[in-house]
Amino acid sequence: MSTAEHSPIRIFQVATGNVGTEMIKRIGTHRDLELIGLHCYTPEKIGRDAGEIAGLDPIGVTATGTVEEIIAAHPDVVTFHGVFPDEDLYEKVLEAGINIVTTADFITGHHRDENHPHVSGKKVTEVLEAACQRGGSTFYGTGMNPGVNQILGVVCSADVAEIENIITIESVDVSCHHSKDTWIEVGYGLPVDDPSIPDKLEKYTRVFGDSVLLMADCFGLELDEVTFSYELGACTKDVDLGWYQLPKGSLGGNYIKYQGMVDGVPRIETHLEWQMTPHTTPNWDIKGCYITQIQGDPCIYNKHMIFPKRGVDLSDPANFASIGMTVTGLPALNSIRSVVAARPGIITSADLPLRGFAGRFKK
């Protein structure tokens, strides 16, 4: 579904959790975007002004709660920022001819197909692709990691003649991501020897296997498999984050590897070096950045470091959390015009033009 090149793109946003709330604030800074609607799952939010929900002055957009109201508004695109996908909503919106950009658990679709069977018995990607073709709409999943982090890895290889191995690493303090639902699902706070933790970690993070497959697609490399491995860090004392509690001996950090294998050798990898607290054993040297390492001819080492805007006080937990939510959601906002202009169907970051990753200058 296309829109005029210079007219504002009309957005109907879904969800107002941490990322969604931040994106309401950020949409207003984009000259080419206009928020026309807000879909909420929490009954108490329905009927309230979107600005009020986000902690702003009223902006004249009232939260609604049904898919029918999304479709009736005729937006150009739905931005979906729920913690978990809503594939029923996706299908209805796409077949109505409305594009979707989401930050929820989707990069290539392999993970959803393998680990989250659709109620119809079909693969998720088959259902969504069919809805896109019926409606002439486009579906795109992104984020900082997985998402931009792997695109940075691909771009860093542009001057490498022969690649032996490439690793993209997220080395971050994740306590800025104030989403209890997320961390409960992952197993943080459970005793580190709880036998359910490995399955929880893999189930929630398996979308990072998609990120390895995305890079493999860009490199034209056929992988035999994508493997999962992990190390767990146990809290050395009780930790109270204010919004989440981690008892002594519970999971407080991890080092996860998703490795794309060829003939038993890891060729394309994504690593997750996460710390909810520095008080764990083992303890990793958290660098607070995204790293690309390429072994080849020549070798490449690149750091993508993120700092707050000048004057922002990071000792305020709200400001610290805002950065994490911003870098998660902005890859979706910045891609919207390119997604709206794209062919119908499921697309990935490999299908977007370079301008699909471009930020915006200040008004």
Side-chain angles (χ1 to χ4, degrees), residues 8-14 27 30 32-38 61 75-79 81 333 336:
I9 294 177
R10 302 168 73 250
I11 295 174
F12 207 115
Q13 180 175 302
V14 175
I27 287 171
H30 280 60
D32 58 343
L33 304 179
E34 177 187 3
L35 183 68
I36 67 160
L38 178 67
V61 174
D76 298 305
V77 64
V78 161
T79 53
H81 299 301
L333 291 191
I336 285 174

Side-chain angles (χ1 to χ4, degrees), residues 211-232:
S211 72
V212 172
L213 292 166
L214 172 66
M215 290 190 287
D217 178 38
C218 292
F219 292 125
L221 183 66
E222 186 173 345
L223 302 175
D224 297 330
E225 61 177 335
V226 178
T227 64
F228 165 81
S229 60
Y230 62 92
E231 296 177 66
L232 307 178

Side-chain angles (χ1 to χ4, degrees), residues 174-322:
V174 293
S175 64
C176 67
H177 191 72
H178 296 180
S179 174
K180 289 185 178 180
D181 290 342
T182 298
W183 299 115
I184 289 170
E185 287 290 327
V186 176
Y188 272 68
L190 290 177
V192 77
D193 57 358
D194 188 308
S196 71
I197 287 178
D199 286 344
K200 285 178 174 288
L201 276 175
E202 183 171 9
K203 180 180 178 181
Y204 186 79
T205 65
R206 192 71 208 186
V207 68
F208 288 93
D210 274 20
S211 72
V212 172
L213 292 166
L214 172 66
M215 290 190 287
D217 178 38
C218 292
F219 292 125
L221 183 66
E222 186 173 345
L223 302 175
D224 297 330
E225 61 177 335
V226 178
T227 64
F228 165 81
S229 60
Y230 62 92
E231 296 177 66
L232 307 178
C235 293
T236 56
K237 65 177 186 177
D238 291 343
V239 176
D240 186 352
L241 298 172
W243 61 276
Y244 205 58
Q245 284 71 46
L246 301 169
K248 181 178 180 180
S250 68
L251 180 64
N254 63 250
Y255 197 107
I256 289 174
K257 295 181 182 179
Y258 281 97
Q259 297 177 296
M261 311 295 288
V262 179
D263 296 330
V265 177
R267 303 299 299 274
I268 301 175
E269 308 180 48
T270 286
H271 296 185
L272 309 174
E273 192 175 57
W274 287 352
Q275 156 187 298
M276 191 72 78
T277 171
H279 305 292
T280 68
T281 181
N283 180 275
W284 294 276
D285 178 20
I286 298 299
K287 300 170 185 65
C289 63
Y290 297 84
I291 298 168
T292 297
Q293 296 177 180
I294 301 177
Q295 295 297 318
D297 178 18
C299 295
I300 303 292
Y301 183 88
N302 183 73
K303 277 187 177 182
H304 181 70
M305 304 191 74
I306 299 166
F307 300 97
K309 183 174 71 174
R310 284 177 294 180
V312 172
D313 179 11
L314 276 191
S315 65
D316 182 341
N319 290 338
F320 184 55
S322 173

Side-chain angles (χ1 to χ4, degrees), residues 338-352:
S338 293
V339 171
V340 170
R343 60 166 175 80
I346 297 172
I347 64 171
T348 74
S349 295
D351 300 308
L352 287 186

Side-chain angles (χ1 to χ4, degrees), residues 90 94 99-100 102 106-110 112-113 123-133 136-141 210 339 342-352:
Y90 290 171
L94 291 169
N99 306 289
I100 294 178
T102 179
F106 196 104
I107 297 297
T108 67
H110 288 82
R112 299 301 304 179
D113 286 348
K123 291 183 177 180
V124 170
T125 53
E126 292 176 350
V127 172
L128 298 184
E129 180 68 29
C132 287
Q133 297 307 322
S137 53
T138 305
F139 182 86
Y140 174 60
D210 274 20
V339 171
R343 60 166 175 80
I346 297 172
I347 64 171
T348 74
S349 295
D351 300 308
L352 287 186

